[in-house]
Amino acid sequence: MHRDASHIENLLEPVLDIARAAGRGIMAVYATDFGVVQKTDHSPLTAADMAAHHTIMRGLAQLTPDLPVLSEEAADVPFAQRAAWRRYWLVDPLDGTREFINRNGDFTVNIALIEDQRPVLGVVHAPVSGVCYFARAGGGAYKQDNGAPQAIRARRWDGGPCTVVGSRSHGGDSLKEFLANLGDYEILSMGSSLKSCLVAEGKADIYPRLGPTSEWDTAAAQCIVEEAGGRVTDTAMRPLRYNTRNSLINPHFFVFGDCRQDWTRFLAKT
């Protein structure tokens, strides 16, 4: 068992409460004629992003005042400073801002606890449906809708049609070549970290992300996928790690349920 398993277990319910509170703030904005501004990297920002950010920052400060928090909306922390963080919170207050703007419901609140460069607690909350996915290291992965939490498990792929989950907002030639090499497949379009959660609950076989993402996009879902028996790796099949360098941009990666497969064989041959 993880050496801090009981401590992490005690954090799970409060973090779920924080994520749901952030979700309520997001939905309050969703119901209005909200505006959109452009950040310096040209990505969109709404009042919902900031409302969720402030809710989460307040909640985590009360829950664990000794732990730093790295949020997408407060990410300007020099690596020289955060390199000393053995344990910290990694947060995306509103993952899928474009989906939020398009009002298709595919957006989430992501909260992860990182310890020694890997996620050991993850909560993904979908405000529109109210569904929560969550996991902690060594504790299994769960999905909670209206009733009691249900254990979830990633599935094996034994050939035949492969169910691929892809982004509503991001595609590209690399994904097209991957799918062409895969051959027989069906694709599910989804936004935000819900893509990874579909793999975790055994509804999809793989989510290949062959484009840029940031560390706060993947950490919470990675914990859930790993506890469900799957993996999140770079395209050399090495697990994603966090806070290891100056850049917070992830490498291209795979999220998959069947660890027996070498998914690199479907990449474009160079």
Side-chain angles (χ1 to χ4, degrees):
M1 180 177 285
H2 193 276
R3 63 183 179 277
D4 292 318
S6 62
H7 175 63
I8 295 171
E9 184 176 10
N10 292 336
L11 291 174
L12 195 50
E13 280 298 331
V15 173
L16 283 164
D17 289 341
I18 292 168
R20 292 185 181 111
R24 289 191 293 273
I26 288 169
M27 293 306 293
V29 177
Y30 199 54
T32 70
D33 185 18
F34 57 84
V36 180
V37 298
Q38 297 292 318
K39 294 195 285 189
T40 55
D41 65 357
H42 304 295
S43 61
L45 180 70
T46 71
D49 296 81
M50 296 312 300
H53 166 73
H54 291 308
T55 296
I56 294 167
M57 295 296 282
R58 283 194 303 268
L60 293 178
Q62 293 173 356
L63 180 64
T64 54
D66 56 324
L67 291 187
V69 182
L70 185 66
S71 167
E72 178 179 10
E73 307 312 336
D76 191 20
V77 180
F79 182 60
Q81 177 180 340
R82 55 184 168 82
W85 297 353
R86 177 178 162 264
R87 181 187 284 167
Y88 68 100
W89 295 104
L90 182 57
V91 172
D92 192 342
L94 176 48
D95 180 23
T97 301
R98 289 181 176 85
E99 279 65 37
F100 178 86
I101 293 166
N102 293 332
R103 297 183 186 274
N104 64 33
D106 288 356
F107 50 87
T108 59
V109 176
N110 301 344
I111 304 176
L113 179 64
I114 307 297
E115 184 176 291
D116 297 330
Q117 302 176 342
R118 59 182 289 261
V120 295
L121 180 152
V123 169
V124 172
H125 171 60
V128 169
S129 66
V131 170
C132 285
Y133 296 87
F134 59 91
R136 63 172 176 84
Y142 294 86
K143 177 182 181 180
Q144 186 169 19
D145 201 338
N146 294 319
Q150 302 295 316
I152 56 175
R153 195 74 187 165
R155 71 188 188 191
R156 288 190 169 191
W157 176 56
D158 291 313
C162 184
T163 301
V164 180
V165 62
S167 174
R168 290 191 191 278
S169 303
H170 309 277
D173 292 339
S174 295
L175 177 60
K176 291 176 183 176
E177 292 182 52
F178 181 90
L179 294 174
N181 292 333
L182 191 58
D184 191 4
Y185 68 89
E186 63 170 335
I187 190 158
L188 304 175
S189 291
M190 186 70 67
S192 74
S193 56
L194 291 172
K195 296 184 290 295
S196 295
C197 293
L198 284 183
V199 175
E201 64 179 313
K203 291 184 177 178
D205 297 301
I206 185 167
Y207 162 37
R209 183 53 184 258
L210 306 177
T213 58
S214 297
E215 293 188 0
W216 46 76
D217 294 315
T218 54
Q222 180 171 348
C223 183
I224 295 162
V225 170
E226 290 177 346
E227 285 299 311
R231 292 182 71 196
V232 180
T233 73
D234 64 18
T235 52
M237 306 290 283
R238 297 171 298 206
L240 290 194
R241 289 293 177 256
Y242 295 86
N243 198 32
T244 63
R245 55 203 170 92
N246 185 62
S247 174
L248 291 164
I249 302 299
N250 286 320
H252 294 181
F253 63 84
F254 299 136
V255 180
F256 53 89
D258 193 339
C259 301
R260 305 169 304 166
Q261 303 292 337
D262 177 14
W263 296 97
T264 64
R265 72 184 191 274
F266 302 114
L267 290 169
K269 302 298 187 287
T270 56

